[in-house]
mmCIF file of all heavy atoms in Angstrom:
data_model
loop_
_atom_site.group_PDB
_atom_site.id
_atom_site.type_symbol
_atom_site.label_atom_id
_atom_site.label_comp_id
_atom_site.label_asym_id
_atom_site.label_seq_id
_atom_site.Cartn_x
_atom_site.Cartn_y
_atom_site.Cartn_z
ATOM 1 N N THR A 264 5.333 5.353 -4.074
ATOM 2 C CA THR A 264 5.673 4.510 -5.250
ATOM 3 C C THR A 264 6.797 5.038 -6.030
ATOM 4 O O THR A 264 7.138 6.203 -5.843
ATOM 5 C CB THR A 264 4.403 4.338 -6.155
ATOM 6 O OG1 THR A 264 4.628 3.380 -7.225
ATOM 7 C CG2 THR A 264 4.055 5.675 -6.832
ATOM 8 N N ARG A 265 7.408 4.184 -6.795
ATOM 9 C CA ARG A 265 8.454 4.635 -7.736
ATOM 10 C C ARG A 265 7.961 4.378 -9.137
ATOM 11 O O ARG A 265 7.391 3.306 -9.446
ATOM 12 C CB ARG A 265 9.769 3.839 -7.512
ATOM 13 C CG ARG A 265 10.458 4.242 -6.225
ATOM 14 C CD ARG A 265 11.799 3.447 -6.038
ATOM 15 N NE ARG A 265 12.405 3.800 -4.834
ATOM 16 C CZ ARG A 265 13.268 4.719 -4.745
ATOM 17 N NH1 ARG A 265 13.609 5.455 -5.778
ATOM 18 N NH2 ARG A 265 13.957 5.030 -3.569
ATOM 19 N N ASP A 266 8.159 5.383 -10.028
ATOM 20 C CA ASP A 266 7.690 5.121 -11.359
ATOM 21 C C ASP A 266 8.412 6.178 -12.244
ATOM 22 O O ASP A 266 9.121 6.953 -11.866
ATOM 23 C CB ASP A 266 6.184 5.242 -11.479
ATOM 24 C CG ASP A 266 5.693 4.113 -12.325
ATOM 25 O OD1 ASP A 266 6.130 4.074 -13.492
ATOM 26 O OD2 ASP A 266 4.722 3.420 -11.937
ATOM 27 N N SER A 267 8.003 6.074 -13.542
ATOM 28 C CA SER A 267 8.609 6.927 -14.578
ATOM 29 C C SER A 267 8.266 8.386 -14.358
ATOM 30 O O SER A 267 7.151 8.701 -14.162
ATOM 31 C CB SER A 267 8.263 6.455 -15.961
ATOM 32 O OG SER A 267 8.546 7.425 -16.920
ATOM 33 N N VAL A 268 9.289 9.289 -14.498
ATOM 34 C CA VAL A 268 9.012 10.689 -14.326
ATOM 35 C C VAL A 268 8.047 11.207 -15.379
ATOM 36 O O VAL A 268 7.009 11.897 -15.059
ATOM 37 C CB VAL A 268 10.363 11.402 -14.402
ATOM 38 C CG1 VAL A 268 11.218 11.042 -15.540
ATOM 39 C CG2 VAL A 268 10.148 12.913 -14.442
ATOM 40 N N ALA A 269 8.259 11.007 -16.608
ATOM 41 C CA ALA A 269 7.550 11.616 -17.678
ATOM 42 C C ALA A 269 6.130 11.058 -17.749
ATOM 43 O O ALA A 269 5.156 11.884 -18.041
ATOM 44 C CB ALA A 269 8.237 11.386 -18.995
ATOM 45 N N LEU A 270 5.924 9.836 -17.465
ATOM 46 C CA LEU A 270 4.610 9.268 -17.649
ATOM 47 C C LEU A 270 3.600 9.716 -16.557
ATOM 48 O O LEU A 270 2.435 9.801 -16.767
ATOM 49 C CB LEU A 270 4.725 7.802 -17.805
ATOM 50 C CG LEU A 270 5.662 7.401 -18.962
ATOM 51 C CD1 LEU A 270 5.775 5.827 -19.064
ATOM 52 C CD2 LEU A 270 5.061 7.930 -20.320
ATOM 53 N N PHE A 271 4.088 9.936 -15.376
ATOM 54 C CA PHE A 271 3.273 10.492 -14.435
ATOM 55 C C PHE A 271 2.811 11.883 -14.668
ATOM 56 O O PHE A 271 1.703 12.275 -14.358
ATOM 57 C CB PHE A 271 3.881 10.382 -13.005
ATOM 58 C CG PHE A 271 3.610 9.097 -12.164
ATOM 59 C CD1 PHE A 271 3.453 7.887 -12.871
ATOM 60 C CD2 PHE A 271 3.466 9.153 -10.777
ATOM 61 C CE1 PHE A 271 3.105 6.684 -12.105
ATOM 62 C CE2 PHE A 271 3.206 8.050 -10.112
ATOM 63 C CZ PHE A 271 3.069 6.799 -10.720
ATOM 64 N N ALA A 272 3.705 12.589 -15.319
ATOM 65 C CA ALA A 272 3.375 13.994 -15.659
ATOM 66 C C ALA A 272 2.268 14.022 -16.643
ATOM 67 O O ALA A 272 1.533 14.932 -16.779
ATOM 68 C CB ALA A 272 4.623 14.640 -16.284
ATOM 69 N N GLY A 273 2.064 12.897 -17.475
ATOM 70 C CA GLY A 273 0.960 12.875 -18.425
ATOM 71 C C GLY A 273 -0.340 12.490 -17.770
ATOM 72 O O GLY A 273 -1.398 12.505 -18.528
ATOM 73 N N CYS A 274 -0.409 12.230 -16.530
ATOM 74 C CA CYS A 274 -1.637 11.804 -15.879
ATOM 75 C C CYS A 274 -2.442 13.057 -15.380
ATOM 76 O O CYS A 274 -3.599 12.855 -14.904
ATOM 77 C CB CYS A 274 -1.339 10.945 -14.653
ATOM 78 S SG CYS A 274 -0.542 9.464 -15.037
ATOM 79 N N VAL A 275 -1.908 14.262 -15.542
ATOM 80 C CA VAL A 275 -2.701 15.427 -14.929
ATOM 81 C C VAL A 275 -3.137 16.317 -16.066
ATOM 82 O O VAL A 275 -2.502 16.513 -17.063
ATOM 83 C CB VAL A 275 -1.745 16.209 -14.054
ATOM 84 C CG1 VAL A 275 -1.424 15.358 -12.820
ATOM 85 C CG2 VAL A 275 -0.426 16.754 -14.687
ATOM 86 N N THR A 276 -4.394 16.734 -15.906
ATOM 87 C CA THR A 276 -4.914 17.651 -17.041
ATOM 88 C C THR A 276 -5.492 18.925 -16.360
ATOM 89 O O THR A 276 -6.137 18.836 -15.273
ATOM 90 C CB THR A 276 -5.986 16.946 -17.838
ATOM 91 O OG1 THR A 276 -6.844 16.130 -16.960
ATOM 92 C CG2 THR A 276 -5.390 16.033 -18.840
ATOM 93 N N SER A 277 -5.355 20.044 -17.003
ATOM 94 C CA SER A 277 -5.730 21.304 -16.348
ATOM 95 C C SER A 277 -6.492 22.229 -17.327
ATOM 96 O O SER A 277 -6.613 21.994 -18.500
ATOM 97 C CB SER A 277 -4.445 21.990 -15.911
ATOM 98 O OG SER A 277 -3.590 22.358 -16.996
ATOM 99 N N GLN A 278 -7.014 23.257 -16.714
ATOM 100 C CA GLN A 278 -7.584 24.429 -17.441
ATOM 101 C C GLN A 278 -6.674 25.615 -17.169
ATOM 102 O O GLN A 278 -6.453 25.974 -15.971
ATOM 103 C CB GLN A 278 -9.011 24.670 -16.880
ATOM 104 C CG GLN A 278 -9.625 26.031 -17.365
ATOM 105 C CD GLN A 278 -10.762 26.466 -16.514
ATOM 106 O OE1 GLN A 278 -11.205 25.780 -15.565
ATOM 107 N NE2 GLN A 278 -11.415 27.611 -16.822
ATOM 108 N N GLN A 279 -6.141 26.135 -18.197
ATOM 109 C CA GLN A 279 -5.209 27.316 -18.055
ATOM 110 C C GLN A 279 -5.857 28.547 -18.509
ATOM 111 O O GLN A 279 -6.401 28.662 -19.650
ATOM 112 C CB GLN A 279 -3.925 27.007 -18.809
ATOM 113 C CG GLN A 279 -3.115 25.805 -18.290
ATOM 114 C CD GLN A 279 -2.164 25.158 -19.230
ATOM 115 O OE1 GLN A 279 -1.722 25.805 -20.156
ATOM 116 N NE2 GLN A 279 -2.007 23.842 -19.146
ATOM 117 N N CYS A 280 -5.915 29.522 -17.645
ATOM 118 C CA CYS A 280 -6.564 30.851 -17.897
ATOM 119 C C CYS A 280 -5.451 31.900 -18.170
ATOM 120 O O CYS A 280 -4.497 31.945 -17.422
ATOM 121 C CB CYS A 280 -7.464 31.307 -16.790
ATOM 122 S SG CYS A 280 -8.787 30.079 -16.427
ATOM 123 N N HIS A 281 -5.751 32.798 -19.143
ATOM 124 C CA HIS A 281 -4.764 33.838 -19.461
ATOM 125 C C HIS A 281 -5.462 35.213 -19.367
ATOM 126 O O HIS A 281 -6.634 35.347 -19.712
ATOM 127 C CB HIS A 281 -4.248 33.695 -20.908
ATOM 128 C CG HIS A 281 -3.535 32.451 -21.211
ATOM 129 N ND1 HIS A 281 -2.126 32.443 -21.350
ATOM 130 C CD2 HIS A 281 -3.881 31.127 -21.320
ATOM 131 C CE1 HIS A 281 -1.692 31.229 -21.594
ATOM 132 N NE2 HIS A 281 -2.802 30.429 -21.570
ATOM 133 N N LEU A 282 -4.763 36.160 -18.769
ATOM 134 C CA LEU A 282 -5.283 37.438 -18.663
ATOM 135 C C LEU A 282 -4.192 38.524 -19.022
ATOM 136 O O LEU A 282 -3.154 38.480 -18.381
ATOM 137 C CB LEU A 282 -5.796 37.753 -17.241
ATOM 138 C CG LEU A 282 -6.283 39.260 -17.043
ATOM 139 C CD1 LEU A 282 -7.511 39.549 -17.905
ATOM 140 C CD2 LEU A 282 -6.593 39.423 -15.622
ATOM 141 N N GLN A 283 -4.362 39.327 -20.050
ATOM 142 C CA GLN A 283 -3.376 40.251 -20.444
ATOM 143 C C GLN A 283 -3.476 41.462 -19.331
ATOM 144 O O GLN A 283 -4.558 41.927 -18.832
ATOM 145 C CB GLN A 283 -3.751 40.876 -21.753
ATOM 146 C CG GLN A 283 -2.762 42.004 -22.301
ATOM 147 C CD GLN A 283 -3.088 42.472 -23.668
ATOM 148 O OE1 GLN A 283 -3.505 41.636 -24.523
ATOM 149 N NE2 GLN A 283 -2.862 43.721 -23.904
ATOM 150 N N ILE A 284 -2.234 41.912 -18.894
ATOM 151 C CA ILE A 284 -2.129 42.913 -17.923
ATOM 152 C C ILE A 284 -1.297 44.130 -18.422
ATOM 153 O O ILE A 284 -0.601 43.978 -19.388
ATOM 154 C CB ILE A 284 -1.474 42.290 -16.663
ATOM 155 C CG1 ILE A 284 -0.135 41.819 -16.877
ATOM 156 C CG2 ILE A 284 -2.351 41.158 -16.056
ATOM 157 C CD1 ILE A 284 0.729 41.314 -15.734
ATOM 158 N N ASP A 285 -1.409 45.180 -17.717
ATOM 159 C CA ASP A 285 -0.622 46.355 -17.997
ATOM 160 C C ASP A 285 0.805 46.176 -17.411
ATOM 161 O O ASP A 285 0.949 45.857 -16.227
ATOM 162 C CB ASP A 285 -1.185 47.656 -17.381
ATOM 163 C CG ASP A 285 -2.378 48.147 -18.241
ATOM 164 O OD1 ASP A 285 -2.632 47.592 -19.290
ATOM 165 O OD2 ASP A 285 -3.149 49.028 -17.644
ATOM 166 N N ALA A 286 1.779 46.371 -18.230
ATOM 167 C CA ALA A 286 3.135 46.238 -17.764
ATOM 168 C C ALA A 286 3.496 47.177 -16.672
ATOM 169 O O ALA A 286 4.201 46.902 -15.734
ATOM 170 C CB ALA A 286 4.118 46.514 -18.955
ATOM 171 N N SER A 287 2.879 48.368 -16.632
ATOM 172 C CA SER A 287 3.175 49.369 -15.656
ATOM 173 C C SER A 287 2.664 48.931 -14.243
ATOM 174 O O SER A 287 3.107 49.349 -13.238
ATOM 175 C CB SER A 287 2.611 50.770 -16.039
ATOM 176 O OG SER A 287 1.156 50.575 -16.106
ATOM 177 N N ASP A 288 1.739 47.984 -14.242
ATOM 178 C CA ASP A 288 1.147 47.549 -12.995
ATOM 179 C C ASP A 288 1.420 46.049 -12.764
ATOM 180 O O ASP A 288 0.810 45.429 -11.923
ATOM 181 C CB ASP A 288 -0.417 47.730 -13.067
ATOM 182 C CG ASP A 288 -0.908 48.063 -11.700
ATOM 183 O OD1 ASP A 288 -0.171 48.463 -10.776
ATOM 184 O OD2 ASP A 288 -2.230 47.993 -11.502
ATOM 185 N N ALA A 289 2.471 45.566 -13.436
ATOM 186 C CA ALA A 289 2.565 44.074 -13.483
ATOM 187 C C ALA A 289 3.023 43.489 -12.176
ATOM 188 O O ALA A 289 2.610 42.354 -11.734
ATOM 189 C CB ALA A 289 3.740 43.724 -14.537
ATOM 190 N N VAL A 290 3.867 44.298 -11.355
ATOM 191 C CA VAL A 290 4.345 43.809 -10.107
ATOM 192 C C VAL A 290 3.178 43.542 -9.110
ATOM 193 O O VAL A 290 3.033 42.483 -8.549
ATOM 194 C CB VAL A 290 5.461 44.751 -9.529
ATOM 195 C CG1 VAL A 290 5.696 44.344 -8.065
ATOM 196 C CG2 VAL A 290 6.609 44.669 -10.326
ATOM 197 N N ASP A 291 2.415 44.645 -8.910
ATOM 198 C CA ASP A 291 1.239 44.421 -7.960
ATOM 199 C C ASP A 291 0.257 43.396 -8.482
ATOM 200 O O ASP A 291 -0.304 42.606 -7.676
ATOM 201 C CB ASP A 291 0.560 45.771 -7.767
ATOM 202 C CG ASP A 291 1.299 46.678 -6.740
ATOM 203 O OD1 ASP A 291 2.061 46.088 -5.991
ATOM 204 O OD2 ASP A 291 1.174 47.900 -6.813
ATOM 205 N N THR A 292 -0.007 43.401 -9.794
ATOM 206 C CA THR A 292 -1.040 42.528 -10.310
ATOM 207 C C THR A 292 -0.623 41.102 -10.184
ATOM 208 O O THR A 292 -1.351 40.185 -9.798
ATOM 209 C CB THR A 292 -1.295 42.822 -11.816
ATOM 210 O OG1 THR A 292 -1.728 44.243 -11.961
ATOM 211 C CG2 THR A 292 -2.405 41.941 -12.391
ATOM 212 N N TYR A 293 0.703 40.804 -10.520
ATOM 213 C CA TYR A 293 1.170 39.450 -10.299
ATOM 214 C C TYR A 293 1.140 38.970 -8.833
ATOM 215 O O TYR A 293 0.793 37.844 -8.555
ATOM 216 C CB TYR A 293 2.576 39.332 -10.925
ATOM 217 C CG TYR A 293 3.153 37.880 -10.884
ATOM 218 C CD1 TYR A 293 2.752 37.010 -11.784
ATOM 219 C CD2 TYR A 293 4.050 37.468 -9.734
ATOM 220 C CE1 TYR A 293 3.234 35.674 -11.709
ATOM 221 C CE2 TYR A 293 4.470 36.218 -9.691
ATOM 222 C CZ TYR A 293 4.121 35.312 -10.713
ATOM 223 O OH TYR A 293 4.585 34.009 -10.613
#
Side-chain angles (χ1 to χ4, degrees):
T264 186
R265 290 182 179 272
D266 223 307
S267 166
V268 47
L270 301 176
F271 267 36
C274 296
V275 296
T276 40
S277 66
Q278 168 196 2
Q279 295 155 31
C280 301
H281 298 253
L282 176 65
Q283 183 175 324
I284 62 175
D285 283 352
S287 60
D288 212 16
V290 169
D291 280 335
T292 304
Y293 182 80

